[in-house]
């Protein structure tokens, strides 16, 4: 994760994708962070890094990625780029990842952050606002994340294990 990590005032970020040119020059052509999505954004990368820190009993690594997640999800520029409610690129995935990260966090800011992300999920989760009924981009995934919000805790049935965030 370190090879492509970029540093910015708003915190570390990773390119949305790597082009052939990026790979050849070992430099990204992306000028700044994209949306902090679960699938390829800082949110998903930060959760993976947090889990690595936990697995390795490396509290420094865990703290770095928890701070990275917090910074990405409080940066209004990045948050404005999130325009849908779905799991893959939208608020449902960001919320579900934040909930799982907060559950394991040493950083006390992450549980409080979930309330802010929840408000954005509710705002964007409107009828006919998602793309079909699928899990990743559709109403099903959004509804599952909303069920986490309603229950007030991560899902006991572990539906989000397929996202590799649990």
């Amino acid at each position: 994760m370190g090879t492509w990590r970029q540093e910015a005032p708003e915190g570390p970020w990773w390119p949305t994708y790597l082009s052939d040119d990026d790979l050849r020059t070992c430099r990204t052509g992306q000028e700044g962070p994209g949306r902090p999505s679960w699938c390829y954004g800082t949110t998903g990368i930060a959760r993976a890094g947090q889990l690595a820190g936990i697995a390795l009993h490396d509290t420094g690594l865990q703290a770095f990625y928890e701070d990275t997640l917090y910074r990405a999800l409080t940066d209004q520029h990045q948050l404005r780029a999130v325009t849908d409610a779905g799991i893959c690129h939208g608020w449902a995935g960001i919320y579900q990842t934040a909930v799982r990260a907060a559950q394991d966090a040493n950083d006390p800011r992450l549980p409080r952050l979930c309330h802010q992300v929840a408000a954005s999920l509710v705002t964007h989760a409107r009828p006919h606002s998602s793309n079909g009924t699928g899990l990743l981009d559709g109403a099903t995934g959004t509804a599952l994340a909303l069920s986490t919000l309603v229950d007030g805790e991560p899902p006991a049935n572990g539906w989000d294990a397929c996202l590799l965030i649990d």
Side-chain angles (χ1 to χ4, degrees):
M1 288 188 231
T3 301
W4 290 100
R5 184 177 81 209
Q6 308 296 305
E7 297 295 334
E10 57 273 2
W13 61 275
W14 289 260
T16 303
Y17 64 88
L18 298 172
S19 69
D20 288 339
D21 214 29
D22 295 340
L23 294 171
R24 191 173 5 68
T25 63
C26 295
R27 291 182 39 188
T28 181
Q30 188 174 326
E31 294 184 18
R35 60 183 160 192
S37 61
W38 156 78
C39 59
Y40 56 68
T42 300
T43 298
I45 292 169
R47 176 58 173 160
Q50 179 198 34
L51 288 170
I54 292 167
L56 296 169
H57 304 287
D58 185 337
T59 56
L61 185 65
Q62 181 179 349
F64 171 81
Y65 283 107
E66 288 177 1
D67 181 64
T68 297
L69 179 61
Y70 179 82
R71 292 172 73 183
L73 296 184
T74 56
D75 177 27
Q76 293 306 307
H77 176 74
Q78 290 181 62
L79 296 178
R80 278 193 296 275
V82 183
T83 58
D84 64 80
I87 293 269
C88 197
H89 303 104
W91 289 107
I94 293 169
Y95 176 73
Q96 198 67 32
T97 306
V99 165
R100 288 297 188 173
Q103 180 183 26
D104 296 329
N106 291 329
D107 188 327
R109 299 175 300 172
L110 292 188
R112 292 191 302 263
L113 181 64
C114 289
H115 298 294
Q116 296 169 353
V117 176
S120 295
L121 171 59
V122 169
T123 298
H124 287 83
R126 300 286 183 233
H128 310 296
S129 66
S130 56
N131 303 327
T133 60
L135 174 67
L136 292 180
D137 290 324
T140 300
T142 302
L144 285 167
L146 286 168
S147 72
T148 299
L149 175 58
V150 169
D151 291 343
E153 59 187 39
N157 64 7
W159 71 261
D160 57 353
C162 66
L163 304 176
L164 303 178
I165 59 173
D166 180 17

